[in-house]
């Protein structure tokens, strides 16, 4: 059984930074695509960034140059470094895992492609 546990959210002023973490529990060394999504109040899930098993990344245009997705396979942990935060970045941030693509992110920003989701961590930018 795969569990994803996010942490690192909080409240910051505009221009601030946060480092979000997502611990992957229940699967080790299994090729997968990992992604960060966010959902603002009243809006649909929005893809933020994805990383394939071999390190290929993709970032949404809205966060390019400000957010960076990374992974530490030894720690089984996914990260999202968020810099230069804006009020419009306020949302619940979720990590997600797609374990069916052999480690490739074929449909990186399509939520239905992901098998497992965390509970979310709130980011509020004022």
């Amino acid at each position: 059984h795969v569990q994803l546990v996010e942490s690192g959210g909080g409240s910051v002023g505009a221009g601030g930074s946060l480092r979000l973490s997502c611990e992957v529990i229940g699967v080790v060394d299994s090729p997968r695509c990992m992604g960060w999504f966010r959902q603002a109040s009243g809006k649909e899930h929005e893809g933020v960034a994805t990383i394939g098993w071999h390190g290929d990344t993709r970032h949404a245009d809205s966060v390019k140059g400000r957010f960076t997705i990374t992974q530490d396979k030894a720690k089984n942990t996914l990260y999202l470094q968020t810099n230069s935060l804006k009020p419009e970045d306020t949302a619940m941030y979720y990590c997600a895992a797609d374990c069916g693509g052999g480690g490739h992110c074929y449909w990186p920003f399509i939520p239905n492609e992901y098998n497992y989701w965390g509970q979310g961590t709130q980011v509020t930018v004022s």
Side-chain angles (χ1 to χ4, degrees):
H1 180 65
V2 179
Q3 282 185 281
L4 306 179
V5 181
E6 301 101 331
S7 60
S11 296
V12 297
S17 299
L18 287 171
R19 189 193 195 200
L20 309 185
S21 299
C22 172
E23 183 182 5
V24 182
I25 300 170
V27 60
V28 179
D29 288 338
S30 177
R32 54 189 177 267
C33 166
M34 297 294 299
W36 285 100
F37 289 78
R38 66 186 181 186
Q39 187 173 26
S41 181
K43 296 187 177 181
E44 296 183 352
H45 276 93
E46 175 191 12
V48 176
T50 64
I51 185 166
W53 188 244
H54 299 292
D56 47 309
T57 62
R58 184 173 298 185
H59 295 79
D61 289 343
S62 58
V63 305
K64 277 181 182 176
R66 301 188 298 122
F67 292 10
T68 304
I69 187 171
T70 58
Q71 63 184 347
D72 185 332
K73 293 179 183 178
K75 295 183 178 180
N76 234 17
T77 301
L78 177 75
Y79 301 99
L80 185 69
Q81 179 66 43
T82 67
N83 298 327
S84 302
L85 283 162
K86 305 175 182 179
E88 51 263 44
D89 295 318
T90 295
M92 185 72 80
Y93 283 71
Y94 300 89
C95 70
D98 172 9
C99 299
H104 300 287
C105 299
Y106 290 115
W107 305 102
F109 293 146
I110 306 298
N112 286 346
E113 293 296 314
Y114 292 80
N115 315 98
Y116 302 99
W117 291 79
Q119 81 288 349
T121 186
Q122 177 68 36
V123 171
T124 303
V125 186
S126 59

